[in-house]
Amino acid sequence: MIPLAILAAVSVSLAAPLDQIPLGGDVHVLHGTLSSWARSVKKDFLNDLRECAPAIRANATAQSEACAKAAEWSIVMGNEAGDLDSLASAIAWAFYLAHENMDDKNLKGKKGKHHNPKERPVVPLLQTEEDAIDLRPENKLALREYGNMRRGHADILTIDELPLPPGEIAPYLGGIYLVDHNRLRSDWGEAGAKVVKGVLDHHNDLGMHPDAKPRVIEPTGSCASLVVHEVLQLWDKDKEDQVYNDQECVDKTSLKHKTHPTDIPTELADLLLSVIALDTDDFHRGNGRDLHASKAIWRWSSFCGGDEDRDAVMDRLDKELGTAKKDLRHLSVRDLLRRDWKGDIIPAPNASAPALHLGIASIPVSMRDQISRVGNHTPAAWFETEKAWTKEIYADVSLALTSYREGGVGDEPDSLDGDDGDDDDSDPEKGAKHREIALVVQDGRRLTRLMANSLFDAIKSEIEAAPELNVTTWTGGDLGGERRMIWDQWFTKASRKVVRPVVERAVEGWYGQPVYRQSLGKP
């Protein structure tokens, strides 16, 4: 058994070779370890929080032993889109943080337990609803087949299972760790922002949480690659022979006799490899961090020592998950909107201005295909479906970004979500790539009719003037209402990462002050 405290040493030197074993029969000798641990910490966290809840509501936490116990917990959370990278990264880093200071002497007398009381109390949290996890078919496949997680997601804590709103919980947490995003959502409040202890992310650095340690924000194909670097402390290990030897596999037979999984469980290694394979498109995207991470984690996986080498395994995982990811034919428009939604509240900059809930859905299905899935198959019916969904979440400004390829009969979804679409637009075998933008601004929620009209005009003008988007008006039919718009977007490499700053410029212009920069603590 190799405690996590010395995993870094193993990654630096292979002077003491690990026994290699043939992989026959069920290679998942730690079958259920990850799932059992996750289910156990989820149960304990929710129990502690529920016992503390009455004291929180009564403003009597100082005298509450239950709240003192709840305050020991830390949360590791991915972004609200609920994608596989966020989910797996949160699980992996939480598992590491829970076990990083454990060794064999901590484990004596704990046989059969999956959540040792001497572990650090850390729980992974998915910032989406439980019933939205399987809206991404690749989540279901990877969690079940590679991660050996339970059906029904009883081992995954989701935002809708919290007994109190995030803002009420945040003051009583020991810490918050962010993966796959680097700005805490506003519903966690200032108290939440104060306890952000670590950030691992591969998106644009928004400048938040400067005191977090670690705080690693750099481009990679997969955030999971950064998590692997943190777990194995690979940041300065740039020589391949320091992290990788495809003939050195962890002796999985020895793990059967251990009382607690302080090693990287086989299924966690498999899950991380599957995420990296998918998000890098088998290393056609990403960078050296991704390749380095896959090589470093390989020895703990069930694939190590098998008939396939690492390159063949990563190619197979990418194809299997990529095929699952494209299978969206069964999803309704409401589900497509929920599947990859990123939104947040923009606080009111002054007493006379309203707050805004602005969100953007990324959908790898054309507007034409989506319209065929609603009511009387008209654009107006699509917008009514969209209106009903945004009413549920009380959103004021919503955009839907489509990204797809035209493939003969019907629409072939793009191999990537709109947030990541940077593959070859000119590949003749895949068909031409297309993007569309739909915009809606609703009144009657936080905005008056006059406010909604002026904000819609501001966003519309900014989008139409943006050279980085290059849009023209969509001509697919009557939209059936006011403050509704659809464009064809001709610059097809511009994903949500490009569209969102355009919308934010319009919002700041409408407010008349830099609300986003203020929220980031910048001048």
Side-chain angles (χ1 to χ4, degrees), residues 285-305:
R285 297 189 306 278
N287 56 33
R289 288 279 195 218
D290 301 293
L291 186 61
H292 213 50
S294 72
K295 291 180 176 181
I297 204 74
W298 173 257
R299 66 171 63 90
W300 281 276
S301 76
S302 69
F303 313 112
C304 186

Side-chain angles (χ1 to χ4, degrees), residues 474-489:
W474 187 77
T475 57
D478 180 21
L479 307 187
E482 58 184 349
R483 296 188 301 277
R484 297 174 175 179
M485 190 66 192
I486 303 177
W487 296 274
D488 287 305
Q489 177 188 319

Side-chain angles (χ1 to χ4, degrees), residues 157-235:
L157 176 64
T158 55
I159 195 76
D160 54 324
E161 294 179 284
L162 297 178
L164 293 170
E168 295 183 26
I169 295 171
Y172 308 103
L173 291 175
I176 293 175
Y177 294 80
L178 305 181
V179 291
D180 208 23
H181 65 309
N182 61 81
R183 177 170 64 185
L184 188 68
R185 281 171 51 91
S186 63
D187 51 0
W188 290 91
E190 292 184 9
K194 290 178 181 178
V195 294
V196 173
K197 299 291 183 66
V199 179
L200 297 176
D201 185 33
H202 63 150
H203 295 90
N204 293 333
D205 190 345
L206 299 176
M208 294 294 285
H209 318 302
D211 297 326
K213 292 182 181 179
R215 186 182 186 277
V216 180
I217 303 172
E218 62 175 70
T220 53
S222 173
C223 184
S225 299
L226 299 179
V227 174
V228 171
H229 275 72
E230 176 63 18
V231 169
L232 299 180
Q233 287 299 296
L234 302 178
W235 301 115

Side-chain angles (χ1 to χ4, degrees), residues 472-504:
T472 57
T473 301
W474 187 77
T475 57
D478 180 21
L479 307 187
E482 58 184 349
R483 296 188 301 277
R484 297 174 175 179
M485 190 66 192
I486 303 177
W487 296 274
D488 287 305
Q489 177 188 319
W490 298 104
F491 190 65
T492 57
K493 287 186 177 293
S495 66
R496 179 164 50 194
K497 296 173 184 176
V498 178
V499 175
R500 187 172 190 100
V502 173
V503 177
E504 291 178 350

Side-chain angles (χ1 to χ4, degrees), residues 186-463:
S186 63
D187 51 0
W188 290 91
E190 292 184 9
K194 290 178 181 178
V195 294
V196 173
K197 299 291 183 66
V199 179
L200 297 176
D201 185 33
H202 63 150
H203 295 90
N204 293 333
D205 190 345
L206 299 176
M208 294 294 285
H209 318 302
D211 297 326
K213 292 182 181 179
R215 186 182 186 277
V216 180
I217 303 172
E218 62 175 70
T220 53
S222 173
C223 184
S225 299
L226 299 179
V227 174
V228 171
H229 275 72
E230 176 63 18
V231 169
L232 299 180
Q233 287 299 296
L234 302 178
W235 301 115
D236 300 321
K237 314 297 188 302
D238 55 0
K239 293 182 179 179
E240 187 167 292
D241 60 2
Q242 290 182 315
V243 299
Y244 177 63
N245 183 331
D246 61 1
Q247 299 304 311
E248 298 287 352
C249 303
V250 170
D251 183 355
K252 301 173 184 67
T253 58
S254 68
L255 302 183
K256 291 181 179 180
H257 309 295
K258 297 300 181 181
T259 56
H260 194 282
T262 51
D263 269 303
I264 296 176
T266 303
E267 59 264 34
L268 181 54
D270 288 359
L271 183 61
L272 289 168
L273 285 173
S274 70
V275 174
I276 294 170
L278 177 66
D279 279 11
T280 64
D281 192 18
D282 189 23
F283 304 109
H284 288 92
R285 297 189 306 278
N287 56 33
R289 288 279 195 218
D290 301 293
L291 186 61
H292 213 50
S294 72
K295 291 180 176 181
I297 204 74
W298 173 257
R299 66 171 63 90
W300 281 276
S301 76
S302 69
F303 313 112
C304 186
D307 294 335
E308 296 177 292
D309 63 17
R310 189 187 56 83
D311 291 341
V313 168
M314 297 301 279
D315 179 64
R316 175 168 59 82
L317 292 175
D318 175 45
K319 285 183 169 64
E320 290 174 356
L321 288 166
T323 298
K325 187 174 183 176
K326 296 177 185 179
D327 187 13
L328 306 177
R329 293 166 295 179
H330 61 292
L331 297 184
S332 66
V333 168
R334 179 179 180 274
D335 287 341
L336 288 171
L337 290 164
R338 296 174 64 214
R339 172 185 168 275
D340 188 357
W341 169 269
K342 290 186 178 180
D344 201 2
I345 303 293
I346 304 168
N350 55 62
S352 62
L356 286 177
H357 182 178
L358 186 152
I360 302 178
S362 182
I363 305 174
V365 179
S366 71
M367 288 301 302
R368 181 183 65 188
D369 186 308
Q370 292 181 60
I371 289 168
S372 72
R373 304 185 191 195
V374 296
N376 58 3
H377 311 310
T378 64
W382 183 92
F383 276 103
E384 288 304 310
T385 301
E386 196 273 354
K387 181 178 180 180
W389 150 239
T390 57
K391 184 178 181 180
E392 291 180 36
I393 60 173
Y394 212 65
D396 305 291
V397 180
S398 55
L399 294 95
L401 312 183
T402 74
S403 176
Y404 66 98
R405 292 185 182 278
E406 207 77 31
V409 179
D411 297 316
E412 291 292 332
D414 189 4
S415 61
L416 304 167
D417 284 355
D419 219 11
D420 310 302
D422 58 354
D423 57 340
D424 185 3
D425 291 356
S426 61
D427 188 338
E429 295 183 2
K430 294 182 178 180
K433 185 173 180 178
H434 299 273
R435 288 188 185 271
E436 299 152 320
I437 303 174
L439 167 68
V440 186
V441 178
Q442 297 286 354
D443 65 355
R445 296 171 187 174
R446 295 175 183 83
L447 299 174
T448 66
R449 185 183 182 87
L450 288 176
M451 287 177 177
N453 287 342
S454 62
L455 180 56
F456 175 81
D457 290 341
I459 297 174
K460 178 176 179 291
S461 297
E462 194 72 34
I463 289 175

